[in-house]
Amino acid sequence: MSEFSDWFKDTFKKCYCEHGNLIDEQRFAEIVQLVLDNEADDESRSIFEQKIKSCVKSNFTFEKEKKIKDEIKRKLCEHKAEMPMNLVETIRKSVDI
């Protein structure tokens, strides 16, 4: 198991109470960003995906963050000719376009 997987599991657990309810939405949103940016390893992604299937609040948070990223990506594609090239490249890398 990698150091990242250990960190992910520990951080992920801290997002939930002993009953499995999401209590730390800010920390969870940070984890969502790791997943959306494809920085989570397979084991971490699997843990994450299982939880969002069973927790409505987690799924809602994930979908909300995903929509934001998709909207930013869409806007950048619409206005790419109007932006300085170095800004475009930096943002493109962060949203995988």
Side-chain angles (χ1 to χ4, degrees):
M1 189 174 345
S2 74
E3 193 174 312
F4 178 82
S5 290
D6 291 340
W7 173 87
F8 189 95
K9 285 179 184 177
D10 184 52
T11 303
F12 193 76
K13 285 179 189 176
K14 292 176 184 175
C15 295
Y16 296 90
C17 71
E18 64 275 1
H19 302 292
N21 299 317
L22 181 62
I23 57 171
D24 191 339
E25 291 180 54
Q26 184 174 356
R27 187 177 294 183
F28 184 75
E30 292 173 14
I31 288 174
V32 168
Q33 292 307 312
L34 292 173
V35 171
L36 289 174
D37 292 343
N38 294 318
E39 294 180 28
D41 60 18
D42 291 341
E43 182 180 4
S44 300
R45 181 176 280 283
S46 177
I47 292 166
F48 177 86
E49 288 173 355
Q50 286 296 100
K51 188 61 176 181
I52 65 169
K53 287 179 184 177
S54 63
C55 177
V56 173
K57 197 171 187 180
S58 298
N59 189 297
F60 176 78
T61 301
F62 171 71
E63 290 298 328
K64 179 180 72 174
E65 293 295 327
K66 185 174 181 272
K67 285 179 185 176
I68 290 169
K69 181 177 179 176
D70 290 344
E71 183 63 17
I72 291 169
K73 188 175 185 177
R74 187 183 70 75
K75 289 287 189 182
L76 287 173
C77 289
E78 285 177 11
H79 301 287
K80 65 183 173 184
E82 303 166 13
M83 292 183 258
M85 198 54 183
N86 62 342
L87 175 61
V88 172
E89 287 304 315
T90 300
I91 296 171
R92 279 185 181 157
K93 287 179 184 176
S94 69
V95 294
D96 300 324
I97 58 171

XYZ file of all heavy atoms in Angstrom:
809
model
N 0.856 -1.178 0.000
C 0.000 0.000 0.000
C 0.899 1.237 0.000
O 1.888 1.298 0.694
C -0.892 -0.029 1.234
C -1.952 1.016 1.200
S -3.174 0.962 2.527
C -3.008 -0.605 3.285
N 0.521 2.212 -0.770
C 1.352 3.402 -0.896
C 1.097 4.389 0.242
O 0.078 4.323 0.931
C 1.083 4.090 -2.238
O -0.164 4.742 -2.215
N 2.017 5.292 0.387
C 1.888 6.358 1.383
C 0.661 7.206 1.082
O -0.060 7.616 1.989
C 3.158 7.209 1.372
C 3.288 8.137 2.537
C 4.628 8.836 2.545
O 5.662 8.159 2.384
O 4.634 10.061 2.707
N 0.422 7.454 -0.211
C -0.758 8.229 -0.597
C -2.036 7.515 -0.182
O -2.960 8.143 0.344
C -0.774 8.506 -2.110
C -1.999 9.250 -2.541
C -2.065 10.623 -2.395
C -3.088 8.574 -3.057
C -3.203 11.321 -2.776
C -4.234 9.258 -3.446
C -4.285 10.630 -3.301
N -2.112 6.205 -0.424
C -3.308 5.440 -0.049
C -3.561 5.529 1.452
O -4.706 5.675 1.885
C -3.175 3.972 -0.449
O -3.240 3.828 -1.837
N -2.512 5.420 2.227
C -2.650 5.539 3.682
C -3.186 6.911 4.066
O -4.097 7.030 4.885
C -1.311 5.298 4.381
C -0.850 3.862 4.279
O -1.694 2.978 4.025
O 0.358 3.626 4.447
N -2.603 7.958 3.477
C -3.056 9.319 3.756
C -4.511 9.485 3.332
O -5.325 10.037 4.069
C -2.187 10.340 3.015
C -2.728 11.718 3.134
C -2.480 12.614 4.138
C -3.666 12.358 2.248
N -3.190 13.768 3.918
C -3.932 13.632 2.776
C -4.292 11.962 1.077
C -4.805 14.529 2.158
C -5.170 12.846 0.460
C -5.406 14.109 1.002
N -4.850 8.997 2.131
C -6.204 9.127 1.604
C -7.198 8.457 2.542
O -8.221 9.051 2.897
C -6.271 8.503 0.206
C -7.568 8.768 -0.503
C -7.673 9.830 -1.380
C -8.664 7.937 -0.319
C -8.873 10.075 -2.055
C -9.853 8.163 -0.982
C -9.954 9.240 -1.853
N -6.917 7.213 2.932
C -7.828 6.485 3.813
C -8.018 7.208 5.139
O -9.146 7.342 5.629
C -7.304 5.069 4.081
C -7.468 4.133 2.931
C -6.904 2.779 3.308
C -6.947 1.824 2.167
N -6.346 0.536 2.495
N -6.937 7.686 5.712
C -7.009 8.387 6.997
C -7.808 9.679 6.859
O -8.684 9.967 7.673
C -5.592 8.677 7.505
C -5.600 9.316 8.868
O -6.249 8.758 9.781
O -4.952 10.370 9.031
N -7.524 10.448 5.835
C -8.222 11.712 5.614
C -9.683 11.462 5.297
O -10.577 12.162 5.794
C -7.545 12.506 4.471
O -6.171 12.704 4.810
C -8.209 13.853 4.261
N -9.955 10.464 4.484
C -11.313 10.113 4.099
C -12.144 9.751 5.328
O -13.283 10.208 5.480
C -11.257 8.954 3.106
C -12.543 8.690 2.395
C -12.957 9.511 1.361
C -13.327 7.602 2.730
C -14.144 9.268 0.681
C -14.503 7.345 2.058
C -14.919 8.183 1.031
N -11.569 8.942 6.224
C -12.278 8.533 7.445
C -12.650 9.739 8.294
O -13.706 9.757 8.922
C -11.418 7.580 8.274
C -11.337 6.195 7.712
C -10.444 5.334 8.571
C -10.170 4.006 7.909
N -9.216 3.199 8.691
N -11.788 10.747 8.327
C -12.040 11.938 9.144
C -13.203 12.771 8.614
O -13.716 13.638 9.316
C -10.779 12.797 9.227
C -9.678 12.146 10.020
C -8.415 12.977 9.989
C -7.292 12.258 10.703
N -6.027 12.981 10.585
N -13.637 12.501 7.402
C -14.769 13.229 6.813
C -16.110 12.738 7.349
O -17.129 13.399 7.169
C -14.765 13.085 5.297
S -13.363 13.848 4.480
N -16.100 11.586 7.998
C -17.349 10.937 8.393
C -17.393 10.686 9.897
O -16.369 10.456 10.538
C -17.495 9.599 7.650
C -17.609 9.804 6.161
C -16.478 9.824 5.351
C -18.833 10.024 5.580
C -16.575 10.057 3.987
C -18.942 10.251 4.212
C -17.813 10.273 3.427
O -17.917 10.505 2.092
N -18.621 10.693 10.439
C -18.804 10.355 11.848
C -18.835 8.835 12.004
O -18.759 8.092 11.023
C -20.094 10.976 12.383
S -21.619 10.218 11.751
N -18.975 8.371 13.226
C -18.973 6.936 13.487
C -20.165 6.220 12.856
O -20.154 5.004 12.675
C -18.918 6.642 14.997
C -20.115 7.126 15.781
C -20.028 8.590 16.218
O -19.046 9.280 15.909
O -20.980 9.040 16.877
N -21.189 6.963 12.465
C -22.360 6.385 11.811
C -22.241 6.406 10.290
O -23.146 5.956 9.587
C -23.624 7.124 12.233
C -23.845 7.114 13.708
N -24.149 5.974 14.410
C -23.782 8.117 14.615
C -24.273 6.264 15.696
N -24.042 7.555 15.851
N -21.130 6.932 9.783
C -20.894 6.962 8.346
C -21.443 8.167 7.617
O -21.473 8.206 6.394
N -21.896 9.169 8.378
C -22.442 10.377 7.767
C -21.343 11.403 7.508
O -20.454 11.598 8.343
C -23.515 11.000 8.662
C -24.683 10.057 8.881
O -25.141 9.410 7.964
N -25.143 9.969 10.117
N -21.433 12.080 6.380
C -20.451 13.110 6.025
C -20.572 14.282 6.987
O -21.640 14.879 7.119
C -20.678 13.579 4.583
C -19.720 14.631 4.042
C -18.285 14.107 4.024
C -20.142 15.055 2.639
N -19.476 14.610 7.660
C -19.502 15.724 8.615
C -18.487 16.813 8.275
O -18.610 17.932 8.737
C -19.266 15.241 10.067
C -17.935 14.487 10.184
C -20.442 14.400 10.543
C -17.517 14.161 11.598
N -17.488 16.498 7.479
C -16.473 17.491 7.115
C -16.506 17.691 5.598
O -15.723 17.110 4.854
C -15.090 17.032 7.582
C -14.041 18.124 7.473
O -14.249 19.082 6.701
O -13.001 18.015 8.150
N -17.426 18.543 5.160
C -17.618 18.745 3.725
C -16.431 19.425 3.065
O -16.116 19.145 1.907
C -18.890 19.559 3.482
C -20.139 18.779 3.837
C -21.404 19.567 3.615
O -21.595 20.064 2.491
O -22.186 19.682 4.575
N -15.759 20.291 3.793
C -14.597 20.985 3.227
C -13.463 20.002 2.938
O -12.882 20.011 1.858
C -14.114 22.087 4.163
C -12.978 22.901 3.587
C -12.603 24.078 4.477
O -13.229 24.333 5.486
N -11.566 24.784 4.089
N -13.164 19.146 3.884
C -12.118 18.140 3.686
C -12.520 17.173 2.572
O -11.699 16.798 1.741
C -11.871 17.376 4.980
C -10.684 16.427 4.906
C -10.430 15.762 6.211
N -10.016 16.768 7.183
C -9.656 16.502 8.423
N -9.636 15.273 8.856
N -9.307 17.460 9.243
N -13.791 16.797 2.548
C -14.272 15.900 1.506
C -14.149 16.555 0.130
O -13.756 15.902 -0.835
C -15.720 15.479 1.778
C -16.228 14.477 0.787
C -15.826 13.157 0.837
C -17.098 14.864 -0.217
C -16.278 12.225 -0.088
C -17.560 13.949 -1.150
C -17.145 12.625 -1.080
N -14.442 17.850 0.037
C -14.316 18.565 -1.241
C -12.873 18.540 -1.740
O -12.624 18.463 -2.947
C -14.823 19.993 -1.104
N -11.909 18.585 -0.831
C -10.496 18.485 -1.214
C -10.199 17.097 -1.791
O -9.469 16.969 -2.782
C -9.597 18.761 -0.013
C -9.659 20.194 0.464
C -8.912 20.433 1.758
O -8.121 19.567 2.182
O -9.130 21.494 2.365
N -10.773 16.080 -1.190
C -10.596 14.719 -1.700
C -11.244 14.586 -3.066
O -10.687 13.950 -3.969
C -11.148 13.691 -0.690
C -10.220 13.616 0.529
C -11.323 12.319 -1.326
C -10.712 12.751 1.650
N -12.409 15.178 -3.222
C -13.094 15.151 -4.520
C -12.180 15.731 -5.594
O -12.079 15.180 -6.696
C -14.435 15.916 -4.461
C -14.996 16.150 -5.855
C -15.444 15.178 -3.595
N -11.491 16.825 -5.290
C -10.590 17.438 -6.268
C -9.472 16.475 -6.670
O -9.100 16.415 -7.844
C -10.006 18.747 -5.733
C -11.027 19.843 -5.580
C -11.819 20.099 -6.843
O -11.280 20.221 -7.926
N -13.126 20.163 -6.708
N -8.947 15.729 -5.727
C -7.917 14.738 -6.049
C -8.456 13.679 -7.005
O -7.777 13.276 -7.948
C -7.399 14.060 -4.772
C -6.605 14.931 -3.818
C -6.320 14.164 -2.532
C -5.314 15.403 -4.459
N -9.680 13.261 -6.759
C -10.302 12.258 -7.622
C -10.569 12.849 -9.003
O -10.238 12.235 -10.024
C -11.602 11.711 -6.982
C -12.365 10.833 -7.946
C -11.267 10.941 -5.701
N -11.149 14.035 -9.048
C -11.464 14.667 -10.331
C -10.211 14.988 -11.143
O -10.237 14.970 -12.369
C -12.268 15.946 -10.125
C -13.712 15.757 -9.667
C -14.343 17.106 -9.362
C -14.517 14.998 -10.708
N -9.116 15.279 -10.466
C -7.858 15.592 -11.150
C -7.038 14.338 -11.454
O -5.887 14.428 -11.864
C -7.022 16.557 -10.305
C -7.646 17.931 -10.195
O -8.535 18.263 -10.998
O -7.238 18.698 -9.288
N -7.626 13.163 -11.213
C -6.963 11.876 -11.457
C -5.661 11.719 -10.675
O -4.715 11.105 -11.149
C -6.717 11.660 -12.953
C -7.997 11.511 -13.717
O -8.921 10.842 -13.274
N -8.063 12.144 -14.876
N -5.635 12.282 -9.482
C -4.456 12.155 -8.630
C -4.596 11.017 -7.627
O -3.612 10.615 -7.018
C -4.198 13.480 -7.900
C -3.811 14.599 -8.837
C -3.546 15.906 -8.120
O -3.139 15.889 -6.949
O -3.749 16.955 -8.760
N -5.791 10.499 -7.472
C -6.010 9.393 -6.545
C -5.608 8.082 -7.222
O -5.886 7.871 -8.399
C -7.477 9.338 -6.124
N -4.959 7.210 -6.462
C -4.596 5.908 -7.018
C -5.839 5.018 -7.092
O -6.916 5.394 -6.633
C -3.473 5.263 -6.206
C -3.828 5.031 -4.747
O -5.024 5.041 -4.392
O -2.898 4.837 -3.949
N -5.696 3.854 -7.694
C -6.840 2.961 -7.919
C -7.531 2.558 -6.625
O -8.761 2.546 -6.546
C -6.404 1.710 -8.672
C -6.015 2.001 -10.110
O -6.419 3.068 -10.639
O -5.312 1.173 -10.713
N -6.757 2.224 -5.614
C -7.343 1.802 -4.344
C -8.135 2.944 -3.709
O -9.258 2.755 -3.240
C -6.245 1.331 -3.379
C -6.789 0.846 -2.062
C -5.706 0.386 -1.101
O -4.507 0.518 -1.420
O -6.076 -0.093 -0.022
N -7.570 4.136 -3.717
C -8.243 5.301 -3.142
C -9.507 5.635 -3.929
O -10.559 5.926 -3.354
C -7.302 6.507 -3.134
O -6.154 6.234 -2.369
N -9.411 5.579 -5.234
C -10.575 5.861 -6.085
C -11.690 4.848 -5.811
O -12.865 5.205 -5.758
C -10.185 5.816 -7.553
C -11.347 6.121 -8.487
C -10.910 6.167 -9.933
N -10.284 7.411 -10.286
C -10.947 8.552 -10.511
N -12.241 8.581 -10.404
N -10.307 9.637 -10.848
N -11.333 3.593 -5.616
C -12.319 2.555 -5.341
C -13.049 2.834 -4.023
O -14.280 2.720 -3.948
C -11.637 1.191 -5.296
O -12.555 0.196 -4.964
N -12.309 3.193 -2.991
C -12.902 3.542 -1.692
C -13.864 4.713 -1.862
O -14.985 4.707 -1.357
C -11.799 3.892 -0.677
C -10.976 2.646 -0.331
C -12.378 4.533 0.579
C -9.679 2.949 0.391
N -13.415 5.713 -2.591
C -14.213 6.905 -2.833
C -15.506 6.556 -3.575
O -16.593 6.977 -3.185
C -13.385 7.912 -3.642
C -14.125 9.146 -4.023
C -14.194 10.213 -3.147
C -14.756 9.246 -5.253
C -14.887 11.359 -3.489
C -15.446 10.387 -5.610
C -15.514 11.449 -4.722
N -15.395 5.789 -4.643
C -16.558 5.451 -5.456
C -17.588 4.635 -4.678
O -18.791 4.826 -4.846
C -16.124 4.724 -6.725
C -15.441 5.657 -7.706
C -14.834 4.963 -8.910
O -14.844 3.713 -8.969
O -14.357 5.684 -9.800
N -17.119 3.734 -3.819
C -18.045 2.960 -2.994
C -18.846 3.880 -2.080
O -20.043 3.688 -1.894
C -17.291 1.919 -2.167
C -16.802 0.741 -2.970
C -17.953 -0.049 -3.549
O -18.280 0.118 -4.716
N -18.570 -0.880 -2.762
N -18.180 4.857 -1.507
C -18.859 5.755 -0.565
C -19.872 6.646 -1.272
O -20.981 6.844 -0.763
C -17.837 6.605 0.194
C -18.443 7.402 1.317
C -19.070 6.481 2.356
C -19.588 7.251 3.538
N -20.175 6.359 4.538
N -19.522 7.178 -2.431
C -20.485 8.074 -3.087
C -21.700 7.314 -3.627
O -22.728 7.912 -3.884
C -19.849 8.966 -4.179
C -19.318 8.168 -5.353
C -18.804 9.889 -3.590
C -18.924 9.015 -6.545
N -21.574 6.000 -3.761
C -22.734 5.192 -4.163
C -23.718 5.030 -3.012
O -24.915 4.854 -3.235
C -22.291 3.805 -4.629
C -21.617 3.793 -5.975
C -21.187 2.392 -6.344
C -20.415 2.392 -7.642
N -19.923 1.044 -7.976
N -23.221 5.082 -1.782
C -24.072 4.801 -0.630
C -24.405 6.032 0.222
O -25.231 5.947 1.115
C -23.410 3.743 0.263
O -22.188 4.248 0.787
N -23.795 7.160 -0.061
C -24.016 8.362 0.757
C -24.498 9.497 -0.146
O -23.755 10.000 -0.980
C -22.718 8.760 1.474
S -22.849 10.278 2.453
N -25.735 9.891 0.050
C -26.345 10.924 -0.789
C -25.579 12.235 -0.683
O -25.307 12.891 -1.694
C -27.834 11.127 -0.407
C -28.433 12.309 -1.143
C -28.628 9.872 -0.669
N -25.209 12.623 0.515
C -24.504 13.889 0.709
C -23.130 13.870 0.033
O -22.717 14.847 -0.584
C -24.352 14.177 2.206
C -24.010 15.591 2.533
C -24.108 15.818 4.037
C -23.929 17.259 4.392
N -24.020 17.479 5.842
N -22.438 12.752 0.107
C -21.144 12.613 -0.558
C -21.317 12.681 -2.074
O -20.556 13.342 -2.768
C -20.470 11.291 -0.184
O -20.208 11.243 1.187
N -22.323 11.988 -2.572
C -22.583 11.983 -4.000
C -22.944 13.381 -4.486
O -22.461 13.825 -5.529
C -23.708 11.003 -4.341
C -23.860 10.824 -5.834
O -24.169 11.763 -6.557
N -23.653 9.608 -6.294
N -23.763 14.090 -3.731
C -24.149 15.455 -4.092
C -22.918 16.359 -4.160
O -22.749 17.129 -5.108
C -25.162 16.013 -3.086
C -25.523 17.439 -3.347
C -26.409 17.778 -4.361
C -24.968 18.460 -2.590
C -26.735 19.105 -4.609
C -25.278 19.783 -2.836
C -26.169 20.112 -3.850
N -22.050 16.256 -3.183
C -20.825 17.067 -3.155
C -19.954 16.749 -4.354
O -19.438 17.653 -5.027
C -20.045 16.842 -1.844
O -20.890 17.191 -0.747
C -18.778 17.667 -1.798
N -19.784 15.470 -4.659
C -18.990 15.064 -5.812
C -19.587 15.613 -7.104
O -18.881 16.194 -7.927
C -18.900 13.535 -5.882
C -18.291 13.038 -7.156
C -16.937 13.204 -7.395
C -19.072 12.430 -8.122
C -16.361 12.758 -8.585
C -18.515 11.981 -9.307
C -17.161 12.148 -9.539
N -20.883 15.432 -7.288
C -21.540 15.894 -8.518
C -21.448 17.415 -8.661
O -21.248 17.927 -9.760
C -22.993 15.430 -8.561
C -23.148 13.936 -8.770
C -22.582 13.437 -10.096
O -22.605 14.182 -11.091
O -22.104 12.285 -10.132
N -21.584 18.127 -7.554
C -21.487 19.589 -7.580
C -20.092 20.028 -8.025
O -19.951 20.874 -8.914
C -21.813 20.159 -6.199
C -21.721 21.669 -6.117
C -22.060 22.171 -4.726
C -20.925 21.824 -3.799
N -21.019 22.356 -2.457
N -19.068 19.426 -7.457
C -17.691 19.781 -7.817
C -17.377 19.385 -9.264
O -16.693 20.111 -9.979
C -16.703 19.111 -6.858
C -16.775 19.618 -5.435
C -16.364 21.072 -5.286
O -15.482 21.545 -6.024
O -16.947 21.753 -4.418
N -17.896 18.257 -9.682
C -17.691 17.795 -11.061
C -18.337 18.764 -12.044
O -17.747 19.102 -13.074
C -18.260 16.392 -11.228
C -17.995 15.774 -12.586
C -18.482 14.332 -12.589
C -18.214 13.670 -13.899
N -19.254 13.852 -14.869
N -19.540 19.227 -11.737
C -20.228 20.186 -12.609
C -19.457 21.494 -12.701
O -19.384 22.098 -13.774
C -21.647 20.435 -12.114
C -22.583 19.303 -12.422
C -23.971 19.570 -11.900
C -24.846 18.349 -12.137
N -26.178 18.508 -11.579
N -18.896 21.941 -11.591
C -18.099 23.175 -11.601
C -16.897 23.011 -12.519
O -16.610 23.869 -13.356
C -17.666 23.559 -10.171
C -18.871 24.011 -9.354
C -16.587 24.646 -10.210
C -18.593 24.161 -7.873
N -16.196 21.898 -12.377
C -15.029 21.652 -13.223
C -15.436 21.578 -14.691
O -14.778 22.167 -15.559
C -14.321 20.361 -12.817
C -13.090 20.085 -13.644
C -12.361 18.841 -13.194
C -11.146 18.624 -14.077
N -10.345 17.507 -13.667
N -16.533 20.895 -14.976
C -17.011 20.784 -16.358
C -17.395 22.144 -16.922
O -17.133 22.434 -18.093
C -18.196 19.822 -16.442
C -17.805 18.375 -16.206
O -16.594 18.056 -16.267
O -18.712 17.552 -15.952
N -18.002 22.988 -16.110
C -18.397 24.317 -16.573
C -17.173 25.188 -16.850
O -17.126 25.907 -17.854
C -19.307 24.999 -15.536
C -19.829 26.352 -15.960
C -20.732 26.334 -17.188
O -21.237 25.260 -17.564
O -20.935 27.409 -17.783
N -16.184 25.111 -15.993
C -14.940 25.854 -16.231
C -14.294 25.385 -17.530
O -13.865 26.190 -18.350
C -13.965 25.695 -15.044
C -14.508 26.428 -13.819
C -12.569 26.205 -15.404
C -13.771 26.120 -12.534
N -14.257 24.096 -17.710
C -13.688 23.524 -18.932
C -14.438 24.024 -20.167
O -13.834 24.436 -21.157
C -13.756 22.000 -18.837
C -13.049 21.262 -19.911
C -13.107 19.763 -19.601
C -12.323 18.942 -20.573
N -12.345 17.511 -20.220
N -15.762 24.030 -20.099
C -16.588 24.497 -21.203
C -16.328 25.973 -21.505
O -16.146 26.371 -22.650
C -18.071 24.281 -20.884
C -19.002 24.590 -22.055
C -20.453 24.419 -21.664
N -20.923 25.438 -20.743
C -21.213 26.697 -21.082
N -21.060 27.099 -22.314
N -21.654 27.540 -20.179
N -16.266 26.789 -20.447
C -16.027 28.225 -20.629
C -14.654 28.489 -21.233
O -14.499 29.362 -22.084
C -16.156 28.970 -19.293
C -17.551 29.059 -18.776
C -18.342 30.038 -19.594
C -19.676 30.303 -18.956
N -20.483 31.208 -19.758
N -13.675 27.757 -20.781
C -12.330 27.938 -21.330
C -12.293 27.597 -22.811
O -11.639 28.289 -23.599
C -11.319 27.082 -20.571
C -10.966 27.566 -19.181
C -10.102 26.535 -18.477
C -10.275 28.907 -19.234
N -12.998 26.557 -23.178
C -13.038 26.178 -24.593
C -13.721 27.252 -25.433
O -13.306 27.528 -26.554
C -13.746 24.842 -24.771
S -12.782 23.451 -24.152
N -14.741 27.885 -24.880
C -15.464 28.937 -25.596
C -14.618 30.195 -25.794
O -14.761 30.885 -26.795
C -16.722 29.350 -24.826
C -17.857 28.384 -24.904
C -19.045 28.827 -24.061
O -19.071 29.983 -23.589
O -19.953 28.008 -23.865
N -13.775 30.505 -24.823
C -13.057 31.783 -24.823
C -11.546 31.644 -24.971
O -10.810 32.576 -24.672
C -13.368 32.545 -23.524
C -14.815 32.820 -23.338
N -15.490 33.765 -24.069
C -15.737 32.249 -22.525
C -16.758 33.789 -23.702
N -16.931 32.873 -22.763
N -11.086 30.513 -25.461
C -9.644 30.273 -25.497
C -8.882 31.275 -26.357
O -7.740 31.602 -26.063
C -9.329 28.841 -25.909
C -9.736 28.476 -27.303
C -9.429 27.020 -27.552
C -9.990 26.583 -28.890
N -9.783 25.170 -29.100
N -9.485 31.808 -27.390
C -8.792 32.765 -28.259
C -8.602 34.124 -27.587
O -7.738 34.899 -27.985
C -9.570 32.940 -29.559
N -9.360 34.412 -26.547
C -9.318 35.719 -25.890
C -8.324 35.789 -24.726
O -8.133 36.858 -24.158
C -10.714 36.066 -25.358
C -11.775 36.070 -26.432
C -13.180 36.065 -25.855
O -13.339 36.309 -24.647
O -14.117 35.820 -26.617
N -7.728 34.697 -24.342
C -6.865 34.671 -23.162
C -5.390 34.598 -23.536
O -5.044 34.018 -24.560
C -7.215 33.453 -22.303
C -8.565 33.541 -21.660
S -8.857 32.114 -20.606
C -9.927 31.165 -21.670
N -4.536 35.156 -22.662
C -3.092 35.003 -22.894
C -2.715 33.515 -22.870
O -3.244 32.745 -22.074
C -2.458 35.725 -21.699
C -3.532 36.557 -21.105
C -4.836 35.923 -21.476
N -1.820 33.105 -23.726
C -1.492 31.684 -23.887
C -0.970 31.034 -22.608
O -1.332 29.901 -22.299
C -0.490 31.511 -25.032
C -0.434 30.120 -25.546
S -2.119 29.592 -26.004
C -1.803 27.948 -26.468
N -0.139 31.710 -21.851
C 0.395 31.075 -20.635
C -0.708 30.828 -19.604
O -0.680 29.833 -18.895
C 1.546 31.877 -20.047
C 1.128 33.271 -19.619
O 0.092 33.791 -20.028
N 1.962 33.901 -18.813
N -1.694 31.688 -19.538
C -2.819 31.474 -18.628
C -3.641 30.270 -19.089
O -4.023 29.426 -18.292
C -3.709 32.720 -18.562
C -4.988 32.589 -17.738
C -4.656 32.283 -16.284
C -5.819 33.856 -17.854
N -3.872 30.202 -20.356
C -4.632 29.092 -20.915
C -3.950 27.765 -20.595
O -4.598 26.811 -20.147
C -4.815 29.257 -22.444
C -5.434 28.015 -23.050
C -5.654 30.483 -22.752
N -2.657 27.683 -20.804
C -1.932 26.431 -20.563
C -1.992 26.014 -19.090
O -2.187 24.836 -18.783
C -0.477 26.544 -21.014
C -0.327 26.551 -22.519
C -0.947 25.337 -23.174
O -0.749 24.210 -22.687
O -1.643 25.522 -24.187
N -1.836 26.960 -18.206
C -1.884 26.663 -16.778
C -3.262 26.132 -16.392
O -3.373 25.118 -15.700
C -1.570 27.925 -15.953
O -0.278 28.386 -16.303
C -1.633 27.652 -14.470
N -4.298 26.778 -16.847
C -5.649 26.353 -16.519
C -5.988 25.042 -17.202
O -6.595 24.159 -16.592
C -6.675 27.449 -16.864
C -6.419 28.690 -16.009
C -8.108 26.956 -16.668
C -7.218 29.909 -16.398
N -5.597 24.886 -18.441
C -5.868 23.626 -19.157
C -5.284 22.430 -18.410
O -5.931 21.393 -18.293
C -5.277 23.677 -20.563
C -6.119 24.405 -21.542
C -5.516 24.285 -22.915
N -6.339 25.016 -23.855
C -5.922 25.483 -25.001
N -4.665 25.293 -25.378
N -6.728 26.121 -25.803
N -4.078 22.581 -17.935
C -3.455 21.474 -17.191
C -4.249 21.135 -15.939
O -4.376 19.971 -15.577
C -2.017 21.838 -16.823
C -1.085 21.805 -18.000
C 0.317 22.191 -17.584
C 1.222 22.261 -18.790
N 2.576 22.717 -18.425
N -4.793 22.140 -15.288
C -5.514 21.882 -14.043
C -6.897 21.295 -14.262
O -7.475 20.727 -13.342
C -5.608 23.150 -13.199
O -6.458 24.082 -13.811
N -7.437 21.413 -15.483
C -8.759 20.852 -15.758
C -8.726 19.779 -16.846
O -9.753 19.409 -17.401
C -9.810 21.948 -16.112
C -10.075 22.832 -14.934
C -9.397 22.733 -17.334
N -7.544 19.297 -17.167
C -7.372 18.183 -18.108
C -7.936 18.432 -19.504
O -8.627 17.598 -20.079
C -8.014 16.897 -17.554
C -7.421 16.464 -16.259
O -6.211 16.629 -16.076
O -8.185 15.963 -15.413
N -7.624 19.605 -20.080
C -8.024 19.829 -21.475
C -6.825 20.193 -22.302
O -5.800 20.581 -21.836
C -9.129 20.902 -21.652
C -8.697 22.249 -21.075
C -10.410 20.438 -21.057
C -9.639 23.388 -21.418
